Structures are given as structure tokens and as C-alpha cells.
Amino acid sequence: MKQALNITLGMGMLWLSAGYAEAQQVELLKPKELGRWNIPPGNYSGITPIGDGCYAVVSDKEAQDGFFVFRIRQDERTGQVTEVVNEGFRGTDSALKSGRDEEGVAFVPEDSLVWISGEADQRIVAYRMDGAPVHRELAVPPALGRSAITPNYGFEALGYDRASELFWTVTENALKADGRVAEPGAGHGVCLRLQSFGRDGLPRAYAYPLDMPESEAKGKQYAFGVVAIWPQEGGRLWVMEREFNVPKRRLKARTDMKIYEVIPGSGTALPENTPSERLSGYALKKKPVAAFSTRMRLVRPKLANYEGLCEGSRLADGRRTWLIVSDSQGGYGNRLCHLRDWIRVCVSPKIK
């Protein structure tokens, strides 16, 4: 979900979970501005590795369908990003633009296809490595189709689990059929329909319990829900939730980011046509991995409206890293005060 914002936000704090060893000492590194490497302002909403240190990055307001390719280098000791090179946009001819509002992206190395989810059309479409569409897409059920979503609350997240050969996606917030979206004042929780697709394209759904909003009131600009999914080993998923609230008093504006772990295989898949009132009975258990918040500040503007999450490089000592990218809405603002694109690194604890 995108909003035009003329605000500045600062860094927040990371909290940690003792739920399992990998999350006990997760470290969130200092964000780096993409502009320092001459990356043009964009609407970077999704990221996935495609091999050889390169990543496919989708920007949801491009005039063409396709993706950017960023080459990202990280320090092999700390995991910090040391360089980002924009290797260009790969996509369709401008005459073929469709305005898909591309949000999520996943890569299948077995056939070298890049899959992109569109929030405007609720389709998940395959592209070749040169950005050309291959006229393949996943069989999204009508219950998750364009007419079923609350506007701007469709598919933001997309991930591919290579081990199980499953795609994973979910709408950012509740479907129309499941009632009012989760937001301040709604007074109720929401379960989202976490959707998987096998390589055969057939769907299977689970109930994902979305957090209650932390804001007491909905501001002038507001967004809340799931924005990214990244599959882990053993059938685990990392799910990133984002609450973004800009009240009239902009100094109180903030973004809250949370990453949770769920294991769909530990729960029960939703029976076909499960009504909304029964979703909570199938809700998956969530384990917190990490969270941080950003707040408005008057100096050193650092908007961090993070929307994309994927695995980064493995460090020399065996630790894993994850990359998180933010959306500046094309550098919205003016010369003195404008939004910026950021990349942050999350690092797992040392292996003992």
C-alpha cells in the first residue's frame, strides 16, 4: 500500500525473541541509503536473490512490467552492505505496460523464472531473466481475485520455498468477505488466508493471525498488514508485518515493523470455502523473530517504510543475513525534504 508522504522518520530499536536459537541475538545493522551508490529513487517493494550476488527488485510504479537487477556486495565479516550496483531494468516494451502495481517477487532457479505478484490485478506472473513474460501464472482462486480484496490491500508478499517447491503469498490485510480490515478502531483481530501454490499451480491455504494495530487512532495516512514473506529451512516462513501511521501532528508519525516465524506444516490447512468466522480456529502459531520502529524526527531524515525482505549472503563465520529494502515513493518531497530509499541487514547469531 502506497501513500504520498512529506515526512521524515528516524531509526528505532530491535527487540529479540528467545523462542529459538537463531532468533536470540538477531542483529539489525545501520541502514544504508541507496542514493549513496547512485541508485535512482524508486518504489522498491520486493527483492529476491537470483544468483551470483544479484537480486531482482520490483518497483511498483514503473511504466513497464519487469524488474531491476541490483548487484549487492556485503562485508563478509559484518554483513553490512558495502556496494549496490544498478545493472538496469529488464522488462517489456513500454507499449505493453499494464499497471500491475508489482509488489512481491520470487525466483525459481530450476527454470530461471522470476515470478511477480501484482496488487492491482491480483495475478502472479512469470518472467524470463530478460524480463519478458512467458505467459505463465499461478492459479489464484477467485476468492483472492481482484474483486475480492479491499483496495490497496492485495498481494504485497511473495516467496518461493525451493525445498518444498511451494510459492507463498498473502493479502496485506483482510479480504472483503472476511469483514472489516484490521485498523485502529476496528476492535477485532483478523486472520489472513496465507496461500501456497505447488509447482503444479494448485493452491492450499492456512490462517495467518495478523497482529492488532498498535496505534490508537488512524492518521491522515495509514497502512497496516503483511508486506513480505521469506521461506526458511524446514518449512518455516518469516512473515513481515508493517504498520505505518501519519497523524495530523506529523512529529508523532511512526512505522512499526515486525518479523514473525510460522510453520504451516504444524497447523491444519483451511478446508475449502472456510467462512471468516471459523478462520481463528485454524490460526497458525507465531514466534517473534525481530521488530523495530521508526519515528518522525526533525534532523537527519531517515524514512524507513520497509516492504521487501529476502536472504542475503552467508558470512565467513557461517552466519546468515537478510536484506530489507524500503520504498521512498520515487523520492517524494522537495529539494530540502524528500524521502529516501534504504537497505538494512539483519544478521543471525554466531554459530557456537
Side-chain angles (χ1 to χ4, degrees), residues 65-245:
D65 287 344
F67 53 91
F68 290 92
V69 173
F70 288 177
R71 183 176 295 278
I72 301 175
R73 294 183 174 87
Q74 297 176 249
D75 185 288
E76 65 176 11
R77 183 180 60 85
T78 66
Q80 183 61 277
V81 174
T82 58
E83 185 181 32
V84 181
V85 178
N86 179 11
E87 298 197 343
F89 184 83
R90 302 179 186 180
T92 61
D93 185 271
S94 59
L96 300 177
K97 65 181 181 181
S98 63
R100 296 193 57 226
D101 188 6
E102 296 175 332
E103 297 282 359
V105 59
F107 178 62
V108 180
E110 288 76 13
D111 48 20
S112 296
L113 292 181
V114 176
W115 293 77
I116 300 176
S117 60
E119 191 172 40
D121 59 12
Q122 285 297 100
R123 297 166 59 213
I124 302 173
V125 179
Y127 299 78
R128 296 196 314 241
M129 290 294 287
D130 62 2
V134 296
H135 307 293
R136 289 175 57 186
E137 58 184 275
L138 301 182
V140 175
L144 293 173
R146 183 177 180 181
S147 63
I149 65 170
T150 300
N152 292 322
Y153 273 145
F155 290 152
E156 285 263 354
L158 182 65
Y160 178 70
D161 186 342
R162 187 175 181 182
S164 61
E165 297 188 323
L166 288 176
F167 291 92
W168 290 95
T169 189
V170 68
T171 56
E172 184 175 359
N173 211 311
L175 297 168
K176 290 179 181 178
D178 292 332
R180 181 178 174 181
V181 297
E183 61 182 9
H188 61 82
V190 163
C191 275
L192 308 182
R193 297 176 188 259
L194 178 64
Q195 193 77 43
S196 68
F197 300 87
R199 290 295 298 278
D200 56 8
L202 298 179
R204 177 177 292 178
Y206 297 83
Y208 177 84
L210 187 64
D211 275 9
M212 292 285 286
E214 295 190 6
S215 300
E216 296 181 356
K218 184 178 177 180
K220 295 175 61 177
Q221 295 155 336
Y222 185 81
F224 177 59
V226 173
V227 292
I229 292 176
W230 186 254
Q232 307 286 340
E233 293 91 346
R236 297 178 292 124
L237 300 176
W238 278 14
V239 181
M240 188 162 73
E241 300 182 17
R242 181 270 318 267
E243 182 176 18
F244 197 29
N245 197 13

Side-chain angles (χ1 to χ4, degrees), residues 3 10 33 44 48 55 98 145 218 228 276 280 297-298 328:
Q3 305 285 346
E33 184 184 348
Y44 305 122
T48 191
Y55 297 77
S98 63
K218 184 178 177 180
S276 58
S280 61
R297 57 189 298 173
L298 296 176
S328 74

